[in-house]
Amino acid sequence: MNLRRLILPGVFVALVAGTSLATDPPGTSVTPAALLERLDDGAAAPYVLDVRTAEEYVSGHVPGAVNIPYDKLAARLAEVPKDRDVVLYCRSGRRAQIAGEVLADNGYARLAYLQGDMPAWADQGRPVEKPRDPAACATALASGGPTEQACASN
C-alpha cells in the first residue's frame, strides 16, 4: 500500500512532464519587427518558410517567403537550407509547429517561429507580398513546378 502511494504520484508527474515537453516546438520565436529588420540582411537573412496552403500564400505572405505546405515538407526537405536560420509561420502556429518538428527531426537546428504568425504580421502593418497573378501562382505551387515567374509580385 505504501509503495503504491509513492509510485503513482511519480508516474503522474512523469506523464504530465512528458506531455508538456512533447508540445514545446523546437526553436525560438522572433517578433514581426525583428524579422522585418533581418529581411534586409542580404546573405545573412533568414529563410522564411510559409507552411500554409498555396491559396493562403497567394492571398498575402511575408516578403521573400517560400511556400512549402506543412504536409508536403517531408518530401521537399532538400529545398530548405540547413546553413541558414529558418523562420516558420502559418495562420495560427499549429502547422508551423508541425513543420518545425519535421525539420528538427531531420537535423535542422536553426529554427524560429514568427510570433503571432501571419495575422500578427499583417495586423502590425508589415509589408505583405501578393503575386500579380494569384491563380497562376497557386497552380504552380500546387503542381510543384517553377514558381519564380508565376508568383512574381507587384
Side-chain angles (χ1 to χ4, degrees), residues 14 27 54 66 89 105 125 130 145:
V66 175
Y89 73 90
D105 288 348
K130 294 182 181 183

Side-chain angles (χ1 to χ4, degrees), residues 47 77-86 102-111:
Y47 182 86
L77 287 171
E79 297 174 44
V80 182
K82 283 189 175 180
D83 62 345
R84 288 173 62 190
D85 293 337
V86 177
V102 169
L103 292 171
D105 288 348
N106 284 279
Y108 290 80
R110 297 170 61 178
L111 303 175

Side-chain angles (χ1 to χ4, degrees), residues 7-23:
I7 293 175
L8 288 180
V11 169
F12 177 75
V13 169
L15 288 174
V16 171
T19 300
S20 66
L21 291 175
T23 60

